């Protein structure tokens, strides 16, 4: 059960849109519509941003959106803001009822 | 609102058992249908799901850790716990407890507690 694959870093200028990919297999991302995304600022606990591929919890900005195609899920941040600079992790329900996380992506706002 | 707080020793010797507790406040751990999870993160690295306990008492563990992990609940104290046996330096990490309304979602997290495995 290897970690889901994410790019190590993604950057963008304020106001731009960026997309973070999360690639798994048919045993996790591709097999279930149970992909979630977490934002983690340094020294803080992760925060749920997206669940079930494209659902936003109450209080999360509409600038965050999720999608999935095959074995790859994506998180898009539109209108990038300085406060979006953080690490982002995807997660997926996996075969056997387990949970697997992605390798993490550092988002830098230029 | 619901809050989670991890507690336990910050230092554990190799080969010993790591024991952590997550205290739930603002709600009863035995009410509703929730999943109570343990997740860890080595310094500078990614998240690793360890396992979960469902309100019914059933548990699911990460396969590679299953032989060493036990997650249990103490409803009288509104707590759930993690025990990890035969620890090594590779178990050094920040340990988080987290709640979810479904097995794949972690919507409430504790602040985390750092555990170092060293003699």
């Amino acid at each position: 059960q290897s970690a889901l694959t994410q790019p190590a870093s993604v950057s963008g200028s304020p106001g731009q849109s960026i997309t973070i990919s999360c690639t798994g297999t048919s045993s996790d991302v591709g097999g279930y519509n149970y992909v979630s995304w977490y934002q983690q600022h340094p020294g803080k606990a992760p925060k749920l941003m997206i669940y079930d591929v494209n659902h936003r919890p109450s209080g999360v900005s509409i600038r965050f959106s999720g999608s999935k195609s095959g074995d790859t899920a994506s998180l898009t941040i539109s209108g990038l803001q300085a406060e979006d600079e953080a690490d982002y992790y995807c997660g997926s329900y996996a075969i056997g009822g387990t949970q697997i996380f992605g390798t993490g992506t550092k988002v830098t706002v230029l | 609102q619901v809050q989670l707080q991890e507690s336990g020793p910050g230092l554990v010797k190799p080969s010993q058992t790591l024991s952590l507790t997550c205290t739930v406040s603002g709600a009863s751990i035995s009410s509703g249908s929730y999943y109570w999870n343990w997740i860890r993160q080595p310094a500078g690295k990614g998240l690793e799901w360890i396992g979960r306990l469902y309100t019914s008492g059933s548990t699911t563990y990460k396969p590679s850790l299953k032989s060493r992990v036990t997650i249990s609940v103490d409803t009288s104290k509104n707590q759930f716990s993690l025990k990890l046996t035969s620890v090594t330096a590779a178990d050094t990490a920040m340990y988080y407890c987290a709640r979810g309304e479904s097995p794949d979602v972690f919507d409430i997290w504790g602040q985390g507690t750092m555990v170092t495995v060293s003699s």
Side-chain angles (χ1 to χ4, degrees):
Chain A
Q1 209 183 32
S2 300
L4 306 175
T5 301
Q6 297 180 233
S9 62
V10 173
S11 62
S13 299
Q16 287 186 330
S17 292
I18 61 170
T19 297
I20 303 168
S21 61
C22 169
T23 301
T25 69
S26 58
S27 295
D28 37 68
V29 175
Y32 310 92
N33 286 323
Y34 295 139
V35 176
S36 50
W37 289 90
Y38 301 86
Q39 176 192 66
Q40 186 179 34
H41 286 110
K44 300 294 187 181
K47 175 187 176 183
L48 177 66
M49 305 301 284
I50 294 287
Y51 67 97
D52 294 353
V53 176
N54 56 13
H55 291 76
R56 265 186 318 274
S58 174
V60 172
S61 172
I62 61 172
R63 299 185 297 104
F64 291 84
S65 61
S67 62
K68 193 188 86 165
S69 177
D71 295 342
T72 298
S74 299
L75 173 72
T76 297
I77 308 174
S78 58
L80 199 61
Q81 298 180 1
E83 67 205 51
D84 300 331
E85 187 161 293
D87 293 327
Y88 290 83
Y89 294 92
C90 61
S92 175
Y93 186 82
I95 195 167
T98 59
Q99 172 75 13
I100 186 169
F101 286 106
T103 50
T105 298
K106 181 176 180 59
V107 168
T108 301
V109 181
L110 302 172
Chain B
Q1 81 262 24
V2 180
Q3 293 183 313
L4 284 73
Q5 177 69 59
E6 306 87 350
S7 60
L11 181 64
V12 182
K13 289 182 167 51
S15 79
Q16 293 191 342
T17 297
L18 179 160
S19 296
L20 297 175
T21 297
C22 181
T23 300
V24 180
S25 60
S28 170
I29 197 171
S30 56
S31 66
S33 299
Y34 294 106
Y35 297 84
W36 306 95
N37 299 265
W38 285 99
I39 294 159
R40 68 182 181 181
Q41 183 175 36
K45 296 188 177 181
L47 301 169
E48 179 184 24
W49 179 78
I50 298 170
R52 73 169 78 89
L53 172 78
Y54 184 49
T55 302
S56 67
S58 66
T59 53
T60 307
Y61 302 125
K62 179 175 180 174
S64 61
L65 296 173
K66 188 175 182 179
S67 63
R68 298 195 292 133
V69 173
T70 302
I71 297 176
S72 59
V73 65
D74 186 338
T75 55
S76 67
K77 295 181 179 179
N78 220 36
Q79 297 173 335
F80 65 105
S81 300
L82 169 71
K83 288 191 187 300
L84 182 65
T85 62
S86 304
V87 298
T88 70
D91 296 309
T92 294
M94 181 71 77
Y95 284 75
Y96 294 99
C97 57
R99 189 200 78 168
E101 295 186 354
S102 58
D104 63 302
V105 178
F106 312 108
D107 59 345
I108 300 176
W109 294 66
Q111 66 184 30
T113 187
M114 184 66 201
V115 178
T116 300
V117 178
S118 175
S119 56

